[in-house]
Every structure is written in structure tokens, then in C-alpha cells.
Amino acid sequence: MRKNSIKNTRVNAEVQRELSNIIRKELKDPRIGMMTSVTAVEVAPDLKTCKAYISVLGQDQSKADTLAGLKSAVGFIRHQLAKNLNLRNTPEIRFVLDESIEYGVNMAKKIADVNRSLERDEEEKDDEDE
């Protein structure tokens, strides 16, 4: 079976939706930040392992605390996933911090700063020409 098969894509989406619900509604660990989201999930074609990409809004300490809280609750999360999804195997979940959203926001800010400085330079040049 190919890695990007239709079945695997559907399983990835379903696991991502269920993980999001479990993290948001059922986990009571105070270490897990309120602004935690599951950005992507990659389930292996044999349904044995799963990489869950987690995005956390906040400082580095809150990101580390959230990852630690999720790793300590991985047994509970896997049990809830098995209860909610009808899969042959319930995958072992490995949480990975996803910083792509934060990276994108930082790059957008840098691009906006460069554009503003270019506009100021053009205005100053136009004022000197007059």
C-alpha cells in the first residue's frame, strides 16, 4: 500500500480530529496549554506508529511543559483513541513540536518590516527629488 493512499489520508484526518478532541476536551493536565492544536498527523500505513505535530502558542517554557504533559498522558490518549476509532491497531503516538506556524508569522513580520522600510526610502527619495 502506498503511503499517500486514500485510506491512509482518511485515517490521518480521522486520527487528527480525534486527537484534537481528546486534547481539548478530556485532558485535565495543567501543563498542557490552552492554545494547543494538532496541526498534522502521519499514521504509518501499517497503523503501528503515529507522529502527531503539535503547535503551542506561547513561550518556550509553555511549549516544553505541554510536550511533557502530552508525553505523560500518551497512554490515556491512546486508550481514548482506541475507544473512539475503529481501527485494526491503535498506533503508538509520538508528539512532535511543530513550529511552522510561528516561523510563518515571524517571516510575515520581517517581510512587512522590509516593505515599510522600502516605502519610507522611496518617500524620502521623492522628497529629495522635489
Side-chain angles (χ1 to χ4, degrees):
M1 180 167 40
R2 292 185 346 255
K3 184 173 182 175
N4 293 330
S5 68
I6 294 171
K7 176 187 173 192
N8 200 356
T9 303
R10 280 188 299 195
V11 168
N12 287 344
E14 196 65 26
V15 169
Q16 180 179 353
R17 187 175 61 77
E18 283 300 322
L19 275 178
S20 295
N21 287 337
I22 292 168
I23 290 172
R24 188 183 43 203
K25 294 179 182 175
E26 298 181 24
L27 287 182
K28 305 293 185 215
D29 194 332
R31 294 178 289 181
I32 297 172
M34 294 298 295
M35 298 300 287
T36 301
S37 60
V38 181
T39 56
V41 169
E42 292 177 2
V43 179
D46 63 355
L47 303 177
K48 299 280 186 189
T49 60
C50 166
K51 261 190 212 177
Y53 294 93
I54 304 296
S55 178
V56 181
L57 189 65
Q59 303 298 326
D60 290 337
Q61 184 61 37
S62 66
K63 292 176 185 179
D65 289 346
T66 298
L67 273 180
L70 288 172
K71 285 179 182 176
S72 71
V74 75
F76 173 78
I77 294 171
R78 190 173 179 206
H79 176 73
Q80 293 298 319
L81 200 62
K83 233 169 52 170
N84 297 342
L85 293 180
N86 186 16
L87 293 175
R88 185 175 345 123
N89 297 319
T90 303
E92 291 181 27
I93 305 166
R94 196 176 81 198
F95 292 103
V96 180
L97 188 62
D98 183 14
E99 296 183 348
S100 62
I101 295 173
E102 187 175 337
Y103 177 78
V105 169
N106 288 336
M107 290 306 292
K109 285 180 185 176
K110 288 179 182 180
I111 290 170
D113 290 343
V114 168
N115 285 338
R116 272 190 243 113
S117 68
L118 287 174
E119 288 174 3
R120 273 190 242 119
D121 290 346
E122 285 181 12
E123 289 174 5
E124 289 174 3
K125 184 179 176 184
D126 289 343
D127 290 343
E128 289 175 2
D129 289 341
E130 291 177 358

